[in-house]
Amino acid sequence: MSRRGKVTVVGAGFYGSTTAQRLAEYDVFETVVLTDIVEGKAEGLALDLNQSRPIEGFETTVVGATTTVDGGGYEPTAGSDVVVITAGLPRKPGMSRMDLLEVNAKIVRGVAEKIAEYSPEAVIVVVSNPLDEMTALTQLASAFPKNRVFGQAGVLDTARFTNNVATTLGVPVGSVQTLTLGSHGDTMVPVPSACFVDGKPLADVLDADKIEELVTRTRNGGAEVVALLKTGSAYYAPSAAAARMAKAVITDSGAIIPVCAWVDGEYGIDGVYLGVEAEIGSTGVKRIVERDLTDSELAGLKEAAEAVRAKQADIAAL
């Protein structure tokens, strides 16, 4: 198997470490770098992951690096092709994503500036919450072209929606196709016209009230996990989404997936990071993929755009 490139995962909590594990086990990168501000944590996890290589049969090398709050320790990340930012505090029960805005903005800004310094040609995948705002902040702080900074939202939300539909109907997840656009949160926009079960429109197999119930559960999917865990937040599904996005970049796959990307004219929406479908490759977002939406779906997407636009306008000073 041909391996190439380096991917850095910033933050070695459950989310970051699981993302690093998935990326290493893909066996498509030459090197996975995992960083954390807790001294020795990333190095210990890297050693553990490397020792799993003979069992799992992958050759990707995992490197751990301790960074400091003042920006030291980023040398091992130099020349990364892809950087996944998971750094920041996770939600606690009762917290909204927006409660994290100010504290995580400072962390993410510092990380983005260091990425720009050490890996000026990287593509950045943002997963820190609140997602839409942190994606916009990362682009501003790094000064990277907007196509090289995008966020993880729709991949995760769509997976949650698909799972909710499949478990409700008692069918394999592989027989269900769903799609969510808009923001990662309250203004998530389900796209019923793109949702099918065994090729049948979702509206033909579930009544409108049940679909709305599943949409609401999907919209609150992260909070549901947080409430059950009591401490920490979701990481298995989010890490799967982030790793798949990073893989699409390094393999230049051209996969069309829902992500938080810069929208500038598509769907009649200008100048905002928003959850849309995009073709992903070695340069990040190659193009936004517009699909035919119903009037209500398009109205929901435009409403989401205005909601996140107002929030993103506030992050420049953070």
Side-chain angles (χ1 to χ4, degrees), residues 116-197:
E117 178 181 348
Y118 283 93
S119 300
E121 302 302 319
V123 171
I124 304 177
V125 177
V126 183
V127 300
S128 303
N129 274 318
L131 188 282
D132 305 292
E133 291 75 19
M134 292 302 98
T135 303
L137 177 61
T138 297
Q139 191 279 321
L140 287 172
S142 66
F144 280 7
K146 293 181 175 69
N147 64 289
R148 287 204 280 124
V149 180
F150 60 99
Q152 178 257 96
V155 179
L156 172 59
D157 290 333
T158 296
R160 285 173 169 162
F161 194 13
T162 297
N163 184 68
N164 290 341
V165 171
T167 54
T168 297
L169 293 172
V171 299
V173 292
S175 68
V176 178
Q177 175 185 334
T178 68
L179 178 64
T180 65
L181 303 176
S183 78
H184 188 47
D186 294 340
T187 49
M188 185 196 80
V189 180
V191 185
S193 65
C195 298
F196 301 91
V197 179

Side-chain angles (χ1 to χ4, degrees), residues 16 58-59 61-62 64 68 104 120 148 177 180 182 203 208 214 222 262 268 282 311:
F58 64 92
E59 296 291 343
T61 300
V62 185
T68 62
N104 279 354
R148 287 204 280 124
Q177 175 185 334
T180 65
L214 296 179
W262 183 255
S282 60
K311 296 171 186 175

Side-chain angles (χ1 to χ4, degrees), residues 229-285:
L229 291 177
K230 306 295 190 296
T231 59
S233 56
Y235 58 91
Y236 285 129
S239 68
R244 186 59 57 93
M245 293 162 70
K247 182 181 180 182
V249 173
I250 201 64
T251 60
D252 194 28
S253 72
I256 296 173
I257 54 179
V259 301
C260 179
W262 183 255
V263 178
D264 201 15
E266 294 84 3
Y267 293 113
I269 299 169
D270 292 301
V272 67
Y273 269 101
L274 184 67
V276 291
E277 290 175 284
E279 181 183 346
I280 304 299
S282 60
T283 57
V285 174

